[in-house]
Amino acid sequence: MTMMVQTSTDEAPELLDLIEHRRANGLDTYDEWWDGVYRIVTGPSPEHGTLILDLGMLLMRRARDRGMLAAAPVNVGVDKYDAKVPDIGIFLPDTDRHSPAFLVTAAMVVEILSPSERAGEKLPFYARVGVREYLEVHLAAGTCRLLENRDGSWEPVEHSSVIDLRVTEIAELL
């Protein structure tokens, strides 16, 4: 479930208080900023969480083989303005950061769609920040797709160029 707060933080200091309260109590793990709009996002369902772990184990080994790191979840973007929290991110150890907790980009992000999310809705953001690949899993439908960013246009691929991974391997986990 997602709750969007449409008020600018400049106009509502109580919003910043709410955000700081959520951070201090560890409640903000999945919260995101979409062009200045704060979105309060609850944690995943048990099935969603199980798939994050299954995928994470597979992807972590593959990322390490390429000298990369994997994190679940991970912050990508600019805090308090425009940031997304993919379920899993794969990135180089020296990836630039906007702050200690926020990566500028990632080599690959994994989004397992929650019931309230629409397929591909974060693609414009990920293209803008230079994410190379996007793996989207629709748990309820049992489907997945891997897209490669080609100059801001997302093209479906069957094999990742970031890590050694085929779409069929992900489909088997579903």
Side-chain angles (χ1 to χ4, degrees):
M1 181 172 144
T2 302
M3 178 179 96
M4 291 181 284
V5 181
Q6 300 284 343
T7 306
S8 164
T9 56
D10 294 336
E11 299 168 2
E14 64 274 4
L15 175 57
L16 288 177
D17 291 343
L18 170 64
I19 293 167
E20 292 310 317
H21 170 78
R22 290 182 60 74
R23 283 189 176 165
N25 291 287
L27 303 172
D28 67 326
T29 302
Y30 297 96
D31 293 357
E32 297 179 333
W33 287 91
W34 291 48
D35 291 320
V37 175
Y38 189 67
R39 295 170 63 117
I40 295 173
V41 182
T42 61
S45 70
E47 296 78 15
H48 187 137
T50 298
L51 184 56
I52 291 170
L53 290 175
D54 288 343
L55 280 172
M57 288 189 299
L58 173 68
L59 298 178
M60 185 175 289
R61 288 191 304 268
R62 307 283 175 94
R64 286 182 179 160
D65 288 346
R66 298 265 176 111
M68 304 178 94
L69 302 172
V74 66
N75 300 306
V76 178
V78 181
D79 188 21
K80 295 188 180 75
Y81 175 66
D82 202 8
K84 307 298 179 268
V85 184
D87 292 295
I88 300 171
I90 297 174
F91 53 97
L92 290 166
D94 62 351
T95 297
D96 289 337
R97 296 172 186 232
H98 286 291
S99 69
F102 286 79
L103 298 173
V104 169
T105 191
M108 173 191 275
V109 296
V110 178
E111 291 282 0
I112 301 168
L113 298 180
S114 297
S116 63
E117 289 182 298
R118 290 186 309 268
E121 72 180 326
K122 297 179 184 179
L123 287 174
F125 169 82
Y126 288 134
R128 212 170 38 252
V129 300
V131 169
R132 290 174 39 204
E133 290 183 349
Y134 172 85
L135 176 61
E136 182 179 85
V137 179
H138 193 296
L139 189 56
T143 61
C144 64
R145 64 181 181 156
L146 177 62
L147 304 175
E148 183 176 80
N149 183 353
R150 297 183 183 155
D151 297 321
S153 176
W154 293 97
E155 301 293 330
V157 294
E158 292 299 315
H159 187 269
S160 170
S161 62
V162 172
I163 60 174
D164 182 23
L165 177 73
R166 295 191 177 284
V167 173
T168 54
E169 294 177 89
I170 303 305
E172 289 172 6
L173 291 174
L174 303 176

